[in-house]
Amino acid sequence: MNTGSAFHGVTDFCPECGTVLPLPSFENVVKCPRCQFSIDVREFESFTVKSSFTFNSLEASSVSAEIVGGEELKGPVTDRKCARCGNEGMVYHTRQMRSADEGQTVFFTCTRCRYQEKEDS
């Protein structure tokens, strides 16, 4: 590697510009997509790539509560504090209310008092 570089660290990052390097493929070098700096693929020989997934149980990630009219309140729960009753836990869902190049609107419903709030992103 180049010792006069501004960046020092693991081989996952370009030593010239700091960009995350792509995974090695069938070529003899790994090229930075930003500055075209190249590293010999043999520098990646000792690397081990590991990944894992952790799934939350359905019970921990959603709530079902009776509300007026016999309807159920279902959906993922977030640690948002209700502005009306102070309860820590609100069910939320998102909708695209404006044009596609703008953020979604998030609707929150308190799991205790059913107060509803909305937040535009």
Side-chain angles (χ1 to χ4, degrees), residues 1 4 9 43 110:
M1 271 198 224
E43 294 203 30
C110 177

Side-chain angles (χ1 to χ4, degrees), residues 5-30:
S5 172
F7 295 92
H8 299 285
V10 295
T11 314
D12 293 340
F13 299 93
C14 175
E16 292 299 317
C17 69
T19 300
V20 176
L21 291 173
L23 293 173
S25 62
F26 298 107
E27 298 178 20
N28 292 331
V29 294
V30 174

Side-chain angles (χ1 to χ4, degrees), residues 35-110:
C35 72
Q36 300 305 310
F37 179 83
S38 61
I39 298 175
D40 191 303
V41 75
R42 288 177 283 196
E43 294 203 30
F44 293 89
E45 285 179 344
S46 64
F47 279 30
T48 303
V49 177
K50 296 180 182 181
S51 62
S52 64
F53 295 93
T54 304
F55 294 99
N56 296 330
S57 68
L58 184 58
E59 293 80 27
S61 63
S62 65
V63 67
S64 176
E66 290 295 321
I67 61 173
V68 177
E71 297 179 36
E72 288 186 357
L73 180 64
K74 292 185 178 181
V77 178
T78 185
D79 291 333
R80 184 180 177 105
K81 189 174 190 175
C82 176
R84 181 189 288 166
C85 72
N87 180 44
E88 286 286 342
M90 298 185 86
V91 173
Y92 70 93
H93 69 276
T94 61
R95 292 264 166 91
Q96 187 69 39
M97 304 299 285
R98 295 165 286 162
S99 63
D101 64 339
E102 296 182 38
Q104 293 184 348
T105 301
V106 183
F107 295 91
F108 297 93
T109 305
C110 177

